[in-house]
Amino acid sequence: MKQTSAGDFVASHNPYASFLEKVEKPARYIGGEHFVTKKNWDETIGRVALCFPDTYEIGMSHLGMKILYDEINQHQSLLAERVFAPWVDMEKEIRSRGLHLVSLENFKPLKDFHIVGFSLQYEMSYSNILNMLDLGGISIWTKDRQEHEPFVICGGPCATHPEPLAPFMDFVVIGDGEKLFARVTHFVGEARARGMKRDEILFELAKWKGIYVPKFYDTVIDPMTQMEVVTGPKAEFAGVIPDRVQRYFVDNLANYPFPTKSPIPHMTAIFDRFSVELARGCTEGCRFCQAGMIYRPVRERNPENVVQMMMDGLKNGGFDEASLTCLSTADYSAVTPLVLELLDKLHKENATLGISSLRAYGLDERILDKLAEVKNTSLTFAPEGGSQRMRDVINKNVSEEDLLKTAENVFSRGWTKMKLYFMIGLPTEEDEDVVAIMETAAKARKKATECGVRNPTVTVSVSSFVPKPHTPFQWSNMITLPEIERKQNMLKDHAEKYRLNFRKHVARISALEGIVARGDRRIADIIYKAWSQGARFDGWDETFKYDLWVKCVEESGLDTQIFLGTIPMNGKLAWDHIDVGLTERFLEIEWKKATHNRLSPPCGKVHGMIVHHSNLESLEKTFDIDKKKLVCYHCGVACDLKGMVEERRDFLKGMNAIEDAPYVQPEVLKKDIVELREKRNQAMGFKYRIEFSKLGPITFISHLDLQKVITRIFKRAGLETLHSEGYNIRPLLSFGPALTLGISSLTEYFDVRVPAEWTDFDDMMNRLQTHSEPGIIFKSISVINSKTPSIQDSAKTFTYFVPVKNDIGTVVENLKSQEQIIIQSYSKKEEKLLDKDIRPMLLDMTTGNLELNEKIMEIIDEVSPCRMPGIFVTAKVNQGTSIRPSEIIELLTGKGLEVERPIKVAIELNG
């Protein structure tokens, strides 16, 4: 397995290289990240494209993609490559050039893979799936797919109700992908190599647990629900493939591996931190929550392993923030000793723990005190229901007393911001329940002022309830669009009254989501028509075309109330053939409890407990002395309750959380800012100027992202830097003027301040280069001091090489002889093109060739063809400002020359 790192680079041909500067965020499409796995295509048996139907920065934050990418690529004979949905601007460029959507590793089109697998996280991404298939050169409908085409599959939470996509999918993976997906990939690859026919392969796979092949099953319209439901296998497959497809799941995660060397995005991802999956499943039993139902039973990772994974991942990636990920972090059985140990270890590494993943109801006060020392931003909580009645309906085991105690715990420790998440449109909801959302938030804000917080910020974020399959609320109606908008306006008025920030989800998107979420196979035609008429990124406000979707729904003739109204409980549902492990009886009982405002205490806990035991002594008292039992509702998932207790016992022992000792809160919770200033005084330490090259695909990342990349290189190399003052610390690095995107530069600089003197520059250079990124090449280190002018002030001239594809002729001589050279330059201030005389800035122009090390030429050539004669242009720099590369291109093309992207070859510094 080849993992790209340490500044090495394996040349490939990105078909988008020549026009990347035309799109908004070109870094989405360049690949070549640190820890990317790039294999020899022809040496692998099974090849899978892991497709995420949303943008790069969202998909790169998804842990499921990282887990499968790592697990498949661990097999020498298998290959997994990543593909993300191109934004609308890139789609336009791809289609206009007749190109295909390609992977980020070997830049192979989707049609060349054995399997093209989509992760289904959100119903409003389905039009993107069809778009990616079409761009990838694959037939969209299963019935049209030819023998040689890839198998198109899907998995993820939405795959447990796959019928709206069934006509597009060859097969569906139900449940966890670990273990199963690598087996599937190997089987398909080998079967292809043996010459097995498409349907023969599908028939064999249909016998596997967790594999659903839609084309092998019959459907009818159920007279009670009016849904098109799956009745079972077609006659020729009866008794050979299952009537109901069982979910596949990994039964134990305690010691299951987790990737600590996943590709690190060059551009800022949505969750720009190293995350570890703490557990899968949830004990809380919220009746609206699909994930809490379909991921049962709860499976936890060993906390000792979690600590090791976290620290390894931070070091390997150079991250400065970490997070623990699961449905409810605070309900992890060893949360207190785990978080306390992590906070201590992270503090020593100048790293923080992502606190938004923690729920504070009942959390040990030691955790809150530690968090208050580390970072002071905002905390996020999800009461979901505003009134106590609504919280009982949805089975949110939280009282108003809990909420206000949480607010006091947070604001008394110095936090000034709080975010609260709620839903509207829940079953049995009345207007007073809606108003209670803002009243509850107002009480939290009042608690902040009582704790001495001046101008506290409480943000209330409200989404619209969408009934989801496999939940107790799967039979519930969804409120109408006008009703959603009315309730949102009511909330807006009360937010202003109580001085609260209010954020709402787009009502029209929620209304459509409701149709797709409980849709049947007939919804596929609507999705196809909407896509073919321009639907893209339907979960994004700026691209969602509501009127188009309404038109397509109306033209289908389907009665949407089938999917949006209350569903008869004695009828068949479009997802009944998918067995996630829950009994229908359990869901019915929970639904009836909801309609009677009755709570079900969390399962997997002792009745009345909010969070788990934080030490072995209290656990043994509960189970060994008091002989208490864990709550169980016999939902259909067979949990090993005794094994759960023993595992928790082992976890606490492993974390050395033995005694139930009382906690004494420190008198001073936070470190004094003055003390921090004294430790990080700007005059302290040693200052160096580092010269480096930025070449090839990585030139398409922004200046801010470059700074982040360099910071991570330092952390991976184990080179400590001094940091800025305050709680949101940052390394003391300063860079020169920003490069234009797509411009390779042989010489750039940044300054860094470090606590200890560097005595061996060669060793420092080697360490930096070993942990560098492809295209970032470190060249030299020099000593500077506080009196040394900044890079921006020091820059005297820039020199560019402009490759020219046709005869240069007398262009250079003619330009050098001119007293004025007027071009049109765009002014951001004026927001229009202005005439600009660049002759005073133009110092010299000569013709010649770029002669560099072959490896360097290869890297540059990937995005900027440079193996041709060209023009060297030297320009004056005034306080970091000079002639722009785009202006050089305009000047030369205006004289009839055909040019490639300029390459910055030199910077002259004063002194």
Side-chain angles (χ1 to χ4, degrees), residues 463-480:
S463 61
S464 302
F465 165 67
V466 177
K468 293 296 175 83
H470 306 296
T471 70
F473 287 173
Q474 65 181 357
W475 295 283
S476 173
N477 71 302
M478 182 173 175
I479 64 173
T480 64

Side-chain angles (χ1 to χ4, degrees), residues 538-580:
D538 300 305
W540 293 66
D541 304 356
E542 63 263 45
T543 49
F544 180 53
K545 298 178 179 178
Y546 177 71
D547 293 339
L548 169 62
W549 278 98
V550 169
K551 172 175 169 286
C552 293
V553 169
E554 289 175 348
E555 289 176 353
S556 74
L558 269 177
D559 179 7
T560 56
Q561 280 304 109
I562 295 172
F563 314 109
L564 296 175
T566 301
I567 298 175
M569 294 182 68
N570 56 350
K572 297 294 183 183
L573 302 171
W575 50 91
D576 277 349
H577 59 295
I578 304 299
D579 180 6
V580 298

Side-chain angles (χ1 to χ4, degrees), residues 695 744-747 799-804 846-854 856-861 864-873 900-906:
L695 310 171
S744 289
S745 176
L746 296 175
T747 301
T799 299
Y800 293 92
F801 173 73
V802 187
V804 180
T846 59
T847 58
N849 289 278
L850 194 61
E851 297 179 359
L852 300 169
N853 172 283
E854 178 58 27
I856 301 298
M857 294 289 279
E858 281 184 5
I859 298 174
I860 296 173
D861 216 28
S864 301
C866 58
R867 302 173 190 269
M868 62 189 77
I871 302 171
F872 289 91
V873 179
E900 296 288 354
R901 291 189 187 100
I903 297 144
K904 192 176 180 183
V905 295

Side-chain angles (χ1 to χ4, degrees), residues 689 788-789 791-797 877 907-911:
R689 179 159 291 170
T788 304
I791 300 166
Q792 183 149 313
D793 292 338
S794 299
K796 184 178 178 182
T797 66
V877 180
I907 299 176
E908 183 184 1
L909 301 181
N910 287 311

Side-chain angles (χ1 to χ4, degrees), residues 81-96:
E81 301 195 353
R82 299 159 299 141
V83 186
F84 301 96
W87 191 247
V88 290
D89 55 354
M90 176 54 89
E91 180 193 347
K92 180 181 176 182
E93 299 295 336
I94 292 173
R95 290 192 184 278
S96 69

